[in-house]
Amino acid sequence: MRRWNGWGDDTVQYPLGARALAFLREAVGEATAPRDVSAADVLATIPPTRLSGLPGQELISIEEWPRLLHARGQSLPDWVALRSGCIPAFPDGVAFPLTKSDVAYLLEYAEEIDARVIPYGGGTSVVGHITPEPGDRPVLTINMRRMNQLAQLDSISLLATFGAGVAGPELEAHLRARGFTLGHFPQSFEFSTLGGWVATRSSGQQSLGYGRIESLFAGGTLLAPAGEMRLPPFPASAAGPDLRQLVLGSEGRLGILTDATVRITPLPEHEEFQAIFFPDFVDATTAVRRIVQARLPLSLLRLSTPMETRTTLALAGHERLIGLLETMLGVRGVGDDKCMLLCGFTGPSAAVRDARHATIDTAREHGGVNAGRRFGEQWMEGRFRTPYLRNTLWDLGYAVDTLETATTWDRVPRMVDQIEAALYSAVPNGERIHVFTHLSHVYPQGASIYTTYLFRISTDPDGTLRRWEALKGAASRTIVREGGTISHQHGVGRDHAPYLEAEKGALGMAALAGVTTIFDPDGRMNPDVLLNDHWSVGGNR
């Protein structure tokens, strides 16, 4: 069963060994396990529904349990709210449409009762996309997970059309049974949905080879309060601006994506993952930049800083294997400042062989030592298991959060340093923090920077939230000051909305507000997401 107050399936655990626990306590300090409330305690606080004139119960549930399950996502403020029971608002009902007609009917119903509408995919948002806000208007959450079927597969044109609620494993199962793949594997892959990927401009872990969702999304259907917009899956068009770009990253503000056509790829002939270790981050970054700019056919380049490398090895277990690795690297001149690069090679066997040789040759020129497939394959096998560590750490008394940005290669080293420095400077007196970073996606022109930070949970929920706000705010202001995007793959939601104007400018924000007015004249679709309260329906207030 899906956890109601944490990540993933409640039967999956992520135990930490003695070495990992010792590393954690040395880095952050001893912690006290929090006193979390029970689901029964939270259910007792849910107010009566404000929905009226309900359509058939097969579409909308007003029971307390689904309303609780749809009250929050996976951001740290969401966890604090769920674990403490301090949830200021719940959806008044949760709808489960089966067809496009059902979605249209639900939007009409929301208009009749003047309800706010929250589109919901897998509930994996980490920046506040699906949180109901207190207010006088009722809130209807529309869960798209039942619209998950493969509608059409064109093996000649390499196009597949799915219901937007299809989750990653279902989508890949449909395609792989027919010899194809989408190749989109975000860390939330097991639970997130195709519609959510499109709405948040998602990036999969192997996007270097397969492309981000904006290159995979070919078309679809958007149902908005103002009407229906169909986006044909043309291979290319010069007929004015590409309206698909309005839907990509729209985060539910324009309407609900009911189906999506995606560009698929035949299953690769060969795929392998390897690890290369560098003596320091400067040499490693230079090597990675040269590799990606050579446009070799790789699907993954993921580079960890020295601190993330140490943390990864400390938490990995397999102490004998790690010891042998450390000894081998030490003999080759790769010591305490080592950085791990994970490489994914995907495609025809001959192309994979050539790309591997070229990558290793370039790495050697910068002191890189190839450690073979063992670590790469272990990462591949456990890449969707890592988020479960959040549950384990919370139960031990530690909070963990992530943030990310993207910038050009000339700014990458300084951006990493400045983000980490900002986090350390924002730590409250008497507290400690553990910070580590990796380049999660690389491009010929630059890279994404993905930073994780751990700190101790406070004795009261508000204290934990204040610590997070100080840390998140300091890092976000630094990203804006240093010229990075406020989000590379997590979207904007509520948490990043205050910083969006710095990236888009006043005219850009007014344009976004104007577009939302056309699609959603009454401002009922996911209000306060993407555009904060400074930007109202109709433009700048």
Side-chain angles (χ1 to χ4, degrees), residues 23 27-28 307 311 424 432-436 452-455:
F23 178 88
V28 187
M307 182 56 75
T311 302
Y424 280 115
R432 290 151 64 190
I433 187 174
H434 184 55
V435 182
F436 49 93
T452 301
Y453 54 102
L454 279 82
F455 59 96

Side-chain angles (χ1 to χ4, degrees), residues 11 26 52 89 133 162 171 208 234 287 293 296 330 357 421 451 462 484:
T11 65
E26 182 179 354
S52 59
E133 292 293 317
F162 290 90
L171 181 148
L208 181 59
F234 298 128
Q293 288 178 346
L296 299 174
H357 289 162
T451 298
D462 288 340

